[in-house]
Amino acid sequence: MTIRVMLVDDQELLRTGFRMVLQSQGDIEITAEAGDGAQALEVLRSTEVDVILMDVRMPRLDGVQATRRICLDEAGSPLPDAPRVLILTTFDLDEYAFAALKAGASGFLLKDVPPTELVAAIRAVHGGDAVVAPTTTRRMIDRFAEVLPVPSGTPGAPILAPLTEREREVFLLVAQGLSNGEIAARLTLSEATVKTHVGRILAKLGLRDRVQAVVLAYENGLVRAGASD
């Protein structure tokens, strides 16, 4: 299966570099490019795309706003058929990248990412995974938790209602940034069973990936910034 990729960056030189790397892969095709978020939205009206490499700091419409329009509906719910978005940042833990994850992006990459990691990340998000490592997710959200709203009432009770008791346990460990292997060891389960639980949790809560699950948990007061495992 060919992965159709769109490059969105206001620096043509960077787009050229990414294009050269990706076009050498037999399963990746560059189907579109754009110089800013507004142009990206225009192109998407007539072009089928699977994965978007999206810069955050661009003129007219930045990557955060563009990602939100691509990934979420007017009510803020994930659009199931939307392309996957990988955010490109200059600095690790950029607050713009965090905002883009909240807006529906599936992960973020540094612009100096090695070619092999870039290709692997595109394949991963195309397959439904996130590309932010669990420890990085935890560290990033701990740092930027102050931008999240303070929950009121009983923490997280409404959002956990669709989950079974076991799924709630798994969800809270995902929210703490644990990997499937770490969760399996913690709950004495097989890693395959944990993966199944995570898939069901995402489906029940209408989430695209585990990064969105972490953000949801923080927003609803289920996990506190800086809390220990």
Side-chain angles (χ1 to χ4, degrees):
M1 179 182 295
T2 299
I3 305 172
R4 299 165 296 186
V5 174
M6 181 180 190
L7 306 177
V8 184
D9 197 300
D10 60 332
Q11 298 184 46
E12 185 175 356
L13 183 60
L14 281 175
R15 297 203 309 269
T16 299
F18 285 130
R19 188 190 319 119
M20 292 177 63
V21 169
L22 298 176
Q23 283 181 335
S24 66
Q25 304 298 313
D27 60 340
I28 295 177
E29 177 186 2
I30 305 300
T31 58
E33 296 186 27
D36 57 49
Q39 185 180 8
L41 293 175
E42 294 173 7
V43 172
L44 286 173
R45 293 191 183 101
S46 59
T47 306
E48 294 290 333
V49 174
D50 300 309
V51 177
I52 301 172
L53 293 183
M54 179 81 74
D55 188 21
V56 285
R57 303 182 186 186
M58 297 180 292
R60 292 210 296 170
L61 188 68
D62 66 29
V64 175
Q65 294 298 323
T67 297
R68 182 173 292 108
R69 296 190 190 183
I70 291 168
C71 297
L72 304 179
D73 62 21
E74 293 183 358
S77 299
L79 293 169
D81 298 325
R84 300 279 174 165
V85 176
L86 276 172
I87 295 299
L88 299 172
T89 71
T90 304
F91 302 103
D92 192 13
L93 300 185
D94 191 319
E95 61 267 32
Y96 287 95
F98 173 73
L101 291 178
K102 287 192 64 182
S106 295
F108 73 95
L109 298 170
L110 297 181
K111 286 190 174 182
D112 61 354
V113 60
T116 54
E117 292 184 19
L118 174 64
V119 172
I122 290 172
R123 290 171 178 158
V125 297
H126 182 253
D129 293 329
V131 298
V132 185
T135 54
T136 304
T137 302
R138 173 82 180 267
R139 182 164 50 98
M140 180 175 60
I141 295 183
D142 279 352
R143 173 168 175 176
F144 295 111
E146 65 268 16
V147 307
L148 297 174
V150 177
S152 60
T154 304
I159 67 164
L160 294 181
L163 306 182
T164 66
E165 184 176 349
R166 176 61 83 186
E167 288 168 350
R168 294 181 188 187
E169 290 181 296
V170 173
F171 176 82
L172 292 175
L173 293 176
V174 168
Q176 293 177 34
L178 273 66
S179 67
N180 286 353
E182 292 169 333
I183 294 172
R186 181 76 64 89
L187 299 180
T188 318
L189 300 171
S190 71
E191 194 165 343
T193 298
V194 172
K195 185 176 182 180
T196 298
H197 281 311
V198 171
R200 289 175 179 168
I201 291 166
L202 297 180
K204 288 183 178 182
L205 299 181
L207 303 172
R208 290 170 67 98
D209 52 49
R210 63 195 302 135
V211 173
Q212 297 299 304
V214 175
V215 173
L216 183 68
Y218 272 78
E219 287 180 320
N220 286 272
L222 292 165
V223 180
R224 292 178 294 105
S228 62
D229 293 341

